[in-house]
Amino acid sequence: MENKKYSSYAQIEQELEILKVEKEIHYQKMLLSVEKTKESILPSKTVSFVGNVYEKLFSGSFGTILKIAIPYIVNWYINRKRGD
């Protein structure tokens, strides 16, 4: 890095202000990158969609029947004979 020569304090202050703004820009870019990474890792829309489907499926009388039937179906599947 080359040493700069300044002829006044105003030039130094201007250079410091430019560096401060560049630092803030890089910091904001880093924050945006972190947010995008979090959004790509956490599929919040998919989770909320599955939650909505689950809620609609298991509400009402049909949901009650499913809640009763599913354990029996799982138990039958686990205990079934392999040759059938």
Side-chain angles (χ1 to χ4, degrees):
M1 189 168 137
E2 188 177 319
N3 288 337
K4 293 184 179 182
K5 294 185 180 181
Y6 299 101
S7 59
S8 68
Y9 286 110
Q11 287 180 338
I12 295 172
E13 291 295 324
Q14 182 182 15
E15 185 71 24
L16 287 174
E17 187 66 28
I18 290 170
L19 291 173
K20 182 179 174 184
V21 170
E22 287 177 348
K23 177 184 171 186
E24 183 64 26
I25 289 171
H26 290 295
Y27 178 73
Q28 292 298 327
K29 283 183 179 180
M30 183 186 68
L31 288 179
L32 182 62
S33 175
V34 168
E35 286 300 317
K36 286 183 178 181
T37 303
K38 281 174 31 178
E39 287 176 5
S40 67
I41 291 174
L42 300 174
S44 59
K45 291 182 182 177
T46 305
V47 170
S48 65
F49 174 74
V50 170
N52 289 339
V53 169
Y54 177 81
E55 183 180 331
K56 288 179 183 177
L57 185 65
F58 286 98
S59 64
S61 60
F62 182 69
T64 306
I65 294 169
L66 279 178
K67 287 178 186 177
I68 294 170
I70 288 177
Y72 289 111
I73 294 170
V74 169
N75 193 16
W76 170 81
Y77 184 76
I78 291 172
N79 295 327
R80 68 187 170 99
K81 294 181 181 177
R82 300 285 178 189
D84 291 342

